[in-house]
Amino acid sequence: EGKDINVPPTSRSEFVELYCQWVLVESVTAVFEPFRKGFARVCGSPLLQAFTGLELSRIVMGDTDLELEHLQPKAKYEGYTAASAVVVWLWSLLKELDKNQRKCFLSFVTGSDRAPVGGLSELQLIIQKAGAATVEAGRIGEGGKVEMLRLPTAHTCFNTLLLPEYSSQEQLGTALRMAIENTEGFGLE
């Protein structure tokens, strides 16, 4: 067995080279070869040869740019303007989100927690007015109305955020966090 053979100093570089060849190629051939064949069958286009590993990785996994303010220049507004109080509050709140919350917001609005190739500046977000921020949920006994806070919703296929007209930044922040932290999407992991 090879483990009992001494490697003299003159053969160490050859040993390291052969060992690396075995670890990185030969030891995984039985597992890697079926994967390679399947990948080539699905993605066997000569176009893939034009991409570097980094470019292919960005196409498959998306960009790591999660600075949500990069969405702002291309954003479109329906029922709001860029100067509407709710929109100004939204952009302010988005800047305060931590990385995990930014991923949750992106997933909530687009269906993916990853930025497209080229970054978020390539994505067009639509912010659409969605009516009042509260709805009457019913009555208690003889008198009082019960009002419930409406949460933002989204049309992920269209990168559209449906945003009720909240009366304060705090109300918007509460509703937005509740929506993005408790969303299930399509339930796919």
Side-chain angles (χ1 to χ4, degrees):
E1 293 206 4
K3 68 178 184 175
D4 297 325
I5 299 173
N6 268 339
V7 178
T10 57
S11 300
R12 283 192 182 148
S13 64
E14 179 187 4
F15 170 79
V16 169
E17 187 177 313
L18 290 172
Y19 183 74
C20 289
Q21 174 70 20
W22 180 81
V23 167
L24 299 174
V25 178
E26 295 169 21
S27 71
V28 295
T29 299
V31 177
F32 181 73
E33 198 54 33
F35 169 78
R36 187 192 64 74
K37 286 180 181 174
F39 185 83
R41 185 179 307 158
V42 174
C43 304
S45 169
L47 292 175
L48 288 180
Q49 303 303 319
F51 295 111
T52 67
L54 180 60
E55 291 167 333
L56 191 56
S57 170
R58 288 181 67 197
I59 290 169
V60 172
M61 297 188 319
D63 206 320
T64 57
D65 167 22
L66 290 181
E67 299 303 321
L68 297 176
E69 58 268 16
H70 292 163
L71 292 168
Q72 198 168 358
K74 276 191 165 179
K76 294 217 185 257
Y77 306 97
E78 296 177 4
Y80 288 123
T81 67
S84 298
V86 173
V87 172
V88 172
W89 297 335
L90 175 69
W91 292 118
S92 176
L93 287 168
L94 292 179
K95 288 177 185 172
E96 296 172 8
L97 298 180
D98 64 31
K99 184 176 182 177
N100 189 51
Q101 290 172 320
R102 289 192 306 262
K103 288 175 83 169
C104 287
F105 175 80
L106 196 57
S107 179
F108 178 73
V109 174
T110 68
S112 173
D113 65 355
R114 299 177 191 270
V117 175
L120 292 176
S121 61
E122 296 298 317
L123 191 68
Q124 183 170 49
L125 177 66
I126 299 169
I127 299 172
Q128 185 176 359
K129 191 173 189 177
T134 58
V135 291
E136 187 176 320
R139 295 189 179 275
I140 299 176
E142 289 293 317
K145 288 191 259 180
V146 175
E147 293 211 338
M148 296 187 65
L149 185 64
R150 290 183 59 213
L151 299 180
T153 54
H155 296 299
T156 57
C157 292
F158 304 105
N159 302 326
T160 301
L161 177 64
L162 302 169
L163 195 61
E165 193 166 16
Y166 297 102
S167 59
S168 70
Q169 185 169 351
E170 293 74 29
Q171 191 181 49
L172 168 60
T174 298
L176 183 65
R177 283 184 189 86
M178 192 178 302
I180 67 173
E181 291 172 2
N182 294 291
T183 189
E184 185 64 32
F186 293 108
L188 303 174
E189 289 295 323

